[in-house]
Amino acid sequence: MSTLRVLIKKEVLQFKRNTFLPKLVVMFPIMMMLVLPWVTTMDVKHVNVSIVDNDHSTLSTRLINHIDANDYFSLQSITKSFDLSMKQLEDGEVDAILEIPQDYEKSFVTGSPKKVNVSANSVNSIKGSLGNQYLVQTLSSVISEMRNSMAPTQHGELIAIQNRYNPTLEYRNFMIPGLLVMLMIIITGFLPALNFVGEKEAGTIEQINVTPVSRFTFTLAKLIVYWVAGFIVLTVALLVIWLVYGLTSVGSLLTIYAAAFLFILVISGFGLIASNLSSTMQQAIFFMFFFVMVFMLMSGLFTPTESMPKWAEIITYFLPPRYFVSTMRAVFLKGATFYDMRYNFYALAAFAVVMNLGAALTYKKRS
């Protein structure tokens, strides 16, 4: 224990003397949580719309006013023909065209309404698809209002929609728990790897190699400092999320910190494996960058694992971030308990043992 204390003190002093790392631990989570939740979004707003009004009726005017007042749309033009609006779509001036047929209100009153045509630019499939959905929802809302005003006793709301866990449907709320995972990977995975390889290149590692310090003790001392740094980063990020976005975890913070602890063990051990297998800083960076990209793309952080091909979904079961991402979102948004996520905790614990044993075994101590 005395040897471990000395080594930890050495790591803490080395960390404090670094002019960059202490600032990174504090400023990086703050900047990341202030910027990324706004830019990593799948929400589609300000869909540019052109309307072809062939009816010029009260109903078509009401529909136009609804679209103009909706934050999701930006009404660019009201044209007299579909060809004029189509020219704007081809030139990229609008994203969608809403064509209201002639005598639309009349057909609506007689009980056999004509179809309203929606055409969208689907080069960006997400924007095109959501733009279509928004227009259909707006049209349905106007039609429902008209029906209720005409026969309120016969037409009512037949569907009650309740958005659970994310009532505002903000994509930012979905991404924020995932961004915490990215923070853990960078701070507790990348930094230990670069720190260890930096000592190799500086030659200071040779001073440790000629001492009787065991590789397990040396590895543990290297990791503990970054475990503490990981918890500091997580705490700072949670504070920023609360102060800036007004979001707090629905579930227990203790469950979040327990999952974070296991994941920190996993990713820091993986970082040390990368450093042990690398001779230079450049090799370690390439090694970590490759696997971090795989972790981020295949962990469910951006794309649901269920939407992946079956072979890719099977691979994700062997990636530790998959279990941490799903745990963070379930606890943060749904209020899941430790018992609910116990299988994820078991998987992370198993990965932690494997990674840290691998880190100790791949460290070649030379006397």
Side-chain angles (χ1 to χ4, degrees):
M1 290 301 295
S2 60
T3 302
L4 180 61
R5 282 197 299 269
V6 171
L7 289 175
I8 292 175
K9 182 178 179 181
K10 171 250 184 190
E11 293 298 327
V12 172
L13 290 174
Q14 185 178 359
F15 189 89
K16 289 170 63 178
R17 288 172 181 171
N18 191 302
T19 58
F20 177 69
L21 288 181
K23 298 175 183 176
L24 179 68
V25 169
V26 176
M27 295 305 300
F28 184 67
I30 294 176
M31 295 306 299
M32 190 170 182
M33 286 301 162
L34 287 178
V35 176
L36 287 186
W38 296 102
V39 298
T40 55
T41 177
M42 300 291 285
D43 290 335
V44 175
K45 294 185 178 181
H46 306 297
V47 177
N48 295 324
V49 179
S50 176
I51 297 179
V52 183
D53 187 4
N54 295 315
D55 192 31
H56 303 289
S57 63
T58 303
L59 180 57
S60 66
T61 301
R62 179 179 292 192
L63 180 58
I64 292 172
N65 291 337
H66 269 70
I67 292 175
D68 193 26
N70 196 313
D71 291 336
Y72 287 98
F73 301 116
S74 178
L75 182 58
Q76 296 297 311
S77 63
I78 302 174
T79 63
K80 297 179 180 179
S81 70
F82 181 80
D83 291 339
L84 293 175
S85 294
M86 190 62 191
K87 180 65 167 58
Q88 293 179 326
L89 187 71
E90 292 174 348
D91 293 341
E93 297 175 9
V94 298
D95 301 306
I97 300 172
L98 178 68
E99 184 179 16
I100 304 172
Q102 189 174 5
D103 297 327
Y104 178 63
E105 184 177 46
K106 183 178 179 181
S107 66
F108 180 82
V109 173
T110 58
S112 56
K114 294 182 178 180
K115 291 184 178 180
V116 175
N117 297 320
V118 177
S119 303
N121 180 358
S122 295
V123 171
N124 183 336
S125 59
I126 294 175
K127 190 171 186 178
S129 175
L130 291 180
N132 274 332
Q133 293 179 31
Y134 294 160
L135 283 173
V136 170
Q137 290 173 5
T138 302
L139 179 61
S140 300
S141 175
V142 174
I143 292 175
S144 178
E145 289 179 7
M146 286 291 291
R147 284 178 173 173
N148 289 334
S149 64
M150 293 169 58
T153 58
Q154 298 179 16
H155 301 279
E157 293 295 334
L158 301 180
I159 301 174
I161 299 175
Q162 186 178 35
N163 299 309
R164 304 296 299 271
Y165 312 125
N166 186 9
T168 60
L169 296 180
E170 289 281 354
Y171 189 78
R172 180 177 66 245
N173 299 348
F174 172 77
M175 277 302 300
I176 281 176
L179 295 179
L180 295 175
V181 179
M182 293 176 61
L183 277 175
M184 295 295 99
I185 291 176
I186 294 172
I187 297 296
T188 63
F190 247 110
L191 292 187
L194 299 184
N195 173 269
F196 195 92
V197 177
E199 287 201 27
K200 280 187 181 180
E201 291 187 334
T204 55
I205 196 70
E206 299 300 327
Q207 300 174 20
I208 298 294
N209 287 334
V210 298
T211 67
V213 176
S214 70
R215 60 187 177 187
F216 291 99
T217 303
F218 179 68
T219 302
L220 182 60
K222 297 292 289 184
L223 290 173
I224 286 177
V225 174
Y226 289 96
W227 295 346
V228 175
F231 281 113
I232 293 174
V233 166
L234 178 61
T235 303
V236 171
L238 290 174
L239 285 174
V240 172
I241 292 169
W242 172 54
L243 293 173
V244 176
Y245 305 107
L247 296 177
T248 56
S249 174
V250 178
S252 170
L253 285 177
L254 183 60
T255 307
I256 288 180
Y257 276 90
F261 174 68
L262 289 176
F263 186 70
I264 287 172
L265 293 181
V266 173
I267 205 65
S268 59
F270 180 78
L272 278 187
I273 292 176
S275 65
N276 292 338
L277 299 178
S278 305
S279 301
T280 64
M281 189 82 74
Q282 188 179 40
Q283 288 179 3
I285 291 174
F286 281 129
F287 188 100
M288 288 297 295
F289 181 78
F290 172 78
F291 281 99
V292 167
M293 289 300 295
V294 173
F295 287 163
M296 290 184 179
L297 294 176
M298 299 191 67
S299 64
L301 182 62
F302 299 105
T303 305
T305 55
E306 297 82 5
S307 301
M308 299 178 184
K310 193 62 181 179
W311 60 267
E313 185 179 358
I314 292 173
I315 292 175
T316 64
Y317 286 101
F318 299 93
L319 303 178
R322 172 198 169 105
Y323 303 97
F324 189 44
V325 169
S326 61
T327 299
M328 291 296 286
R329 282 179 174 151
V331 176
F332 202 91
L333 298 177
K334 297 172 63 177
T337 63
F338 175 85
Y339 183 80
D340 296 330
M341 308 306 298
R342 60 190 183 281
Y343 295 113
N344 283 3
F345 276 91
Y346 297 156
L348 288 173
F351 277 115
V353 172
V354 171
M355 292 296 180
N356 286 282
L357 281 177
L361 295 173
T362 54
Y363 170 54
K364 304 299 182 181
K365 187 176 186 299
R366 298 178 300 276
S367 57

